[in-house]
């Protein structure tokens, strides 16, 4: 019997749901076994060894920016088959709820100024769990390969003889831009996107090359910018970027309590952005300029959401 097409599969899911707002991930878990194409199934299976195979292995999984519905098929499958999950603070309860009953959930998250685990301790813990023979998933917010310290963990695991596979995720910059209804690039306005972390390694006082980053024909996504907003604004304006350059701070991106705060680079250099506790990403560039409708009103998708709080850097542990 031929495998169903993606369209046929999705149509089948929708037709079986009486609730227009059904959780796609729940349906996905039930359908994964029969709906995946054989080639994809084999590729994902290599990343998730069978329980009987005791060769130590770790699957590094990107949890995306927060919404469980933004997980990749491979990520949802890995989580649903895990026996132990080591996760970061930015991984929400909706995603952890996809773990099977009996799976051990271990929080190894680090927050700026509140590092509960050293990277060395996390490396050792991941290795120990993998050596136990259980299906081990290292779950990171966003994409693990972007400011997620994945390289350090992969190097350690391979050095001690543990194999690693990686399942990418939607990084915060892409999720937040899509949620806000904004493109990070725009023909004739922005021709490049640059991901930058505002968080330096402890003891590293090196400043980014602000002059190089101050490209008026590009868009900047600043991760982990909690208390660095003024410094970022001053650095970029000193580097030559116009103080009028639009800035959009997205707090709790891709979550039910997502909030936006609009400002300009010059204002951010003077006052920062409105403080708050939610993880926040700073987007900077002319591609983010509020769209204007024919009647002159700002598009609702770009309007400042009332009561916004902006603060804790939106990045990966």
């Amino acid at each position: 019997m031929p495998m169903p097409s993606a369209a046929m599969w999705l149509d089948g899911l929708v037709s079986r749901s009486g609730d227009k707002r059904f959780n796609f991930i729940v349906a996905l878990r039930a359908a994964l076994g029969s709906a995946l194409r054989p080639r994809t199934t084999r590729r994902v299976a290599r990343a998730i060894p069978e329980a009987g195979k005791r060769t130590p292995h770790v699957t590094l999984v990107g949890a995306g920016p927060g919404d469980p519905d933004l997980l990749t098929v491979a990520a949802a499958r890995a989580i649903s088959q895990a026996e132990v999950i080591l996760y970061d603070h930015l991984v929400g309860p909706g995603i952890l709820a996809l773990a099977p009953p009996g799976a051990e959930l271990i929080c190894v998250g680090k927050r700026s100024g509140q590092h509960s685990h050293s990277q060395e301790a996390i490396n050792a813990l991941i290795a120990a769990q993998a050596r136990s023979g259980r299906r081990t998933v290292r779950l990171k917010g966003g994409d693990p390969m972007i400011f997620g310290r994945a390289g350090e963990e992969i190097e350690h695991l391979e050095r001690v003889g543990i194999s690693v596979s990686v399942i990418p995720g939607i990084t915060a910059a892409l999720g937040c831009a899509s949620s806000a209804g904004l493109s990070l690039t725009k023909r004739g306005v922005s021709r490049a996107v640059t991901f930058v972390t505002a968080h330096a390694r402890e003891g590293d006082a090196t400043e980014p090359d602000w002059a190089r980053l101050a490209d008026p024909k590009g868009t900047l996504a600043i991760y982990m910018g909690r208390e660095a907003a003024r410094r970022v604004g001053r650095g970029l304006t000193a580097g030559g970027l116009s103080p009028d350059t639009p800035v959009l701070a997205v707090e709790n991106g891709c979550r039910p309590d997502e909030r936006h705060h609009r400002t300009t680079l010059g204002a951010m250099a003077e006052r920062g952005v409105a403080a708050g506790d939610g993880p926040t990403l700073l987007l900077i560039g002319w591609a983010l300029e509020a769209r204007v409708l024919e009647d002159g009103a700002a598009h609702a998708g770009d309007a400042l959401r009332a009561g916004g709080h902006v603060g804790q850097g939106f990045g990966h542990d």
Side-chain angles (χ1 to χ4, degrees):
M1 181 176 178
M3 293 296 294
S5 67
M8 291 171 58
W9 175 46
L10 291 173
D11 288 344
L13 288 178
V14 173
S15 66
R16 292 195 297 272
S17 174
D19 182 358
K20 293 182 179 179
R21 299 179 62 188
F22 78 103
N23 191 323
F24 178 75
I25 291 295
V26 174
L28 177 65
R29 291 178 66 185
L32 278 171
S34 60
L36 290 175
R37 294 181 179 179
R39 180 178 178 185
T40 302
T41 302
R42 288 195 299 271
R43 182 172 64 250
V44 175
R46 287 198 295 271
I48 314 167
E50 294 299 324
K53 297 180 181 179
R54 297 299 178 183
T55 302
H57 181 87
V58 173
T59 306
L60 197 61
V61 178
D67 186 345
D69 288 340
L70 294 181
L71 286 169
T72 65
V73 171
R77 187 169 189 258
I79 295 168
S80 70
Q81 294 185 354
E83 293 173 305
V84 58
I85 297 175
L86 301 100
Y87 67 95
D88 289 341
H89 278 298
L90 292 178
V91 177
I95 292 174
L96 294 175
L98 300 177
E104 183 177 3
L105 306 179
I106 304 173
C107 180
V108 294
K110 302 187 298 296
R111 295 192 183 199
S112 179
Q114 303 177 20
H115 289 194
S116 55
H117 300 81
S118 68
Q119 187 61 52
E120 291 74 18
I122 293 174
N123 292 345
L125 183 57
I126 298 171
Q129 294 299 326
R131 289 195 181 101
S132 73
R134 295 188 293 175
R135 288 176 175 168
T136 302
V137 165
R138 174 67 170 107
L139 191 59
K140 290 176 172 286
D143 182 276
M145 310 301 268
I146 297 180
F147 305 131
R149 300 194 182 188
E152 298 175 45
E153 294 177 5
I154 292 172
E155 289 173 6
H156 174 79
L157 292 169
E158 292 183 340
R159 188 165 55 247
V160 298
I162 297 174
S163 61
V164 183
S165 55
V166 179
I167 297 175
I170 296 175
T171 190
L174 305 185
C176 289
S178 297
S179 183
L182 296 170
S183 174
L184 296 178
T185 60
K186 189 174 183 180
R187 186 168 53 181
V189 177
S190 176
R191 60 189 177 191
V193 180
T194 303
F195 297 162
V196 184
T197 175
H199 177 68
R201 189 172 184 174
E202 187 174 353
D204 182 4
T206 304
E207 284 288 299
D209 186 345
W210 297 117
R212 183 181 63 83
L213 295 173
D215 179 5
K217 293 186 177 181
T219 303
L220 294 174
I222 309 292
Y223 290 68
M224 293 172 276
R226 180 186 177 184
E227 296 180 353
R230 288 184 179 87
R231 178 169 58 86
V232 170
R234 292 167 183 167
L236 290 172
T237 52
L241 204 56
S242 169
D244 295 328
T245 304
V247 175
L248 175 66
V250 183
E251 182 189 9
N252 296 321
C254 303
R255 302 183 185 190
D257 55 348
E258 175 179 324
R259 295 176 181 179
H260 297 172
H261 175 77
R262 278 193 171 276
T263 185
T264 64
L265 193 63
M268 187 173 75
E270 293 181 7
R271 300 183 293 275
V273 290
D277 296 329
T280 301
L281 179 85
L282 302 177
L283 297 172
I284 303 171
W286 288 102
L288 308 172
E289 189 173 20
R291 288 168 290 171
V292 177
L293 302 181
E294 291 182 2
D295 61 2
H299 192 285
D302 291 332
L304 173 63
R305 300 190 182 186
H309 296 287
V310 180
Q312 176 73 33
F314 196 123
H316 310 299
D317 292 331

